[in-house]
Amino acid sequence: MELEEAKEKIVEALNKKAKTKSKFYFNDLSKILELKPREAKKLISKLVEDEVLVYWSSGSTTMYGLKGAGKQAAAEHED
Amino acid sequence: MAKHETPLLDQLESGPWPSFVSDLKQEAAARAKNEKNIEYQVPVDVVEDLLGVLELSFKDGTTHWKHGGIVGVFGYGGGVIGRYCDQPETFPGVAHFHTMRVNQPAGKFYKTDFLKNLCDLWEFRGSGLTNMHGSTGDIVLLGTTTPQLEEIFYELTHKYNQDLGGSGSNLRTPADCIGQARCEYACYDTQDLCHTLTQEYQDELHRPAFPYKFKFKFDGCPNCCVASIARSDMSFIGTWKDDIRIDQDAVKGYVNGDFKPNAGAHAGRDWGAFDIQKEVIDLCPTECMKYEDGKLAINNKECTRCMHCINVMPRALRPGKETGCSILVGAKAPILDGAQMGSLLVPFVEVNKENDYEAIKEVIEAVWDWWMEEGKNRERLGELMKRQGFQKLLEATGIKPVPQHVQEPRHNPYIFWKEEEVEGGWDRDINEFRKHHKR
């Protein structure tokens, strides 16, 4: 899968759920891409590098979200 | 005069042990004085405010830290843990109080100038508070603000040749024992294996794509000084294939009292003369030793590598010469489902530097592929093993079942054979069958 296609799929799927959810597990993303984890990882890492996605971490678990989505970035003046 | 009154924390200082509260107060006072004229890049009263927010948490019986955050350094999904205070007006010094995990050098070997530089960096760009070391082994730098993160990362990597460690759904910072550098028991070079795998799996360490955390730990011998068997998803424990080496003269030396048992480790009290029968032979868990006519004999086939005899008489007994490691998987702490110890997956594997640890990497990658595909969100490897069964793990890794995989015989009477495992498969000639079995 090409990066552009992956970006489109991810952005569309995450925006669709934006009202109820702003953070997603890695597995959710690989399901959206319909790829095996290792294949999906290459594309998802690239999307983080391109600042389409950002990591969110509790310290123990990592999640992904669209850059600027959700309340937290604004609440902590990190946007 | 302290910025915040802390009567509850003060009480903690009254116990017999050194108190972290005293340490915090000392650091708070040092920052206020600033004798070295440091241009502090985070609020000078960060430690005062930390004491304040902790006192408030004790008073309220609840935390005042928010849950997680989106901070990190560019391209890394781990190593920085965002911490924000939910009372930033009252405690502005800790409004941002992010943690940074720094990958400790293998075996935790430092030079003092490295530690001094690290502390200077943290005084300058952080709170000055450290935790040596976190339970995964990292150097933990506590408390800095978001604008400082990239600066610190740059200095760490460019000046001190040091990387961030793992956090989140990543491979966590691999940890090892001191190994062959200082220990005669080490059956393989733990530091080299730990360092090599840390370098090899940089992507897994820094870019999270696992269902949850994953820990490697390396112990040079079954004494398990880093407790890999209890604390890591994948534990590499040094072992040997051949016989324990015995020096019969040295055994006699112990019996005659020429050498102190346990290398004198319990010499603080008079335990009486050394009794080899009582202190070694009778304590062997598999009863595979005997001492007769001044000669020690070991039935090595029965030895389970408990290390007791070797620890008591290190001059007389040494691990065998044909060394390697065992790989155990699935240990974890009790967040879900209770604590679990590691299960033996590979009884013996060569630890071969020459071929770049090929055999070990093969097992690691097969385990990861299985867990990444089958693991649920926030499910540790040990939990997946429990949910799907050890047999599935064996299939995923292509490892043949061996007796060492069985904890005890006749634990579970059900074996589900697969068609390909049964000679002739499931098909049968019904006429042939009916010749011997009437309806």
Side-chain angles (χ1 to χ4, degrees), chain B residues 90 237 258 269:
Chain B
T90 321
I237 304 177
D258 300 340
R269 193 177 133 183

Side-chain angles (χ1 to χ4, degrees), chain B residues 174-226:
Chain B
D176 63 331
C177 72
I178 208 158
Q180 288 172 334
R182 304 267 300 171
C183 179
E184 62 194 81
Y185 296 156
C187 294
Y188 70 96
D189 187 347
T190 51
Q191 293 188 50
D192 192 73
L193 182 59
C194 182
H195 186 71
T196 306
L197 294 185
T198 304
Q199 299 292 353
E200 174 85 18
Y201 296 123
Q202 283 285 296
D203 194 51
E204 284 75 6
L205 225 161
H206 299 310
R207 281 168 279 280
F210 286 152
Y212 203 17
K213 58 180 107 167
F214 193 96
K215 300 177 183 180
F216 280 152
K217 293 191 195 297
F218 307 89
D219 274 305
C221 82
N223 273 333
C224 237
C225 290
V226 290

Side-chain angles (χ1 to χ4, degrees), chain A residues 38 41 57 59 62 64 76 78, chain B residues 69 84 146 169 207-208 369:
Chain A
R38 281 195 192 272
K41 181 174 179 178
S57 172
T62 310
Y64 293 75
E76 271 112 29
E78 299 286 14
Chain B
Y84 300 92
T146 308
S169 306
R207 281 168 279 280
D369 282 343

Side-chain angles (χ1 to χ4, degrees), chain B residues 5-53:
Chain B
E5 291 286 309
T6 56
L8 296 171
L9 293 183
D10 297 346
Q11 199 275 331
L12 293 178
E13 291 182 279
S14 64
W17 305 102
S19 166
F20 74 97
V21 176
S22 309
D23 289 350
L24 290 176
K25 286 181 179 173
Q26 189 187 322
E27 180 63 16
R31 283 180 80 89
K33 253 192 188 169
N34 194 10
E35 278 180 345
K36 287 190 209 158
N37 284 320
I38 299 165
E39 267 185 66
Y40 293 125
Q41 299 296 301
V42 306
V44 63
D45 55 357
V46 51
V47 187
E48 296 270 12
D49 279 351
L50 180 67
L51 283 161
V53 77

Side-chain angles (χ1 to χ4, degrees), chain A residues 26 36-46 64, chain B residues 203-205 207-209 372:
Chain A
F26 177 82
K36 293 210 167 215
R38 281 195 192 272
E39 289 303 308
K41 181 174 179 178
K42 286 180 200 155
L43 294 165
I44 291 166
S45 294
K46 194 81 186 65
Y64 293 75
Chain B
D203 194 51
E204 284 75 6
L205 225 161
R207 281 168 279 280
M372 284 171 84

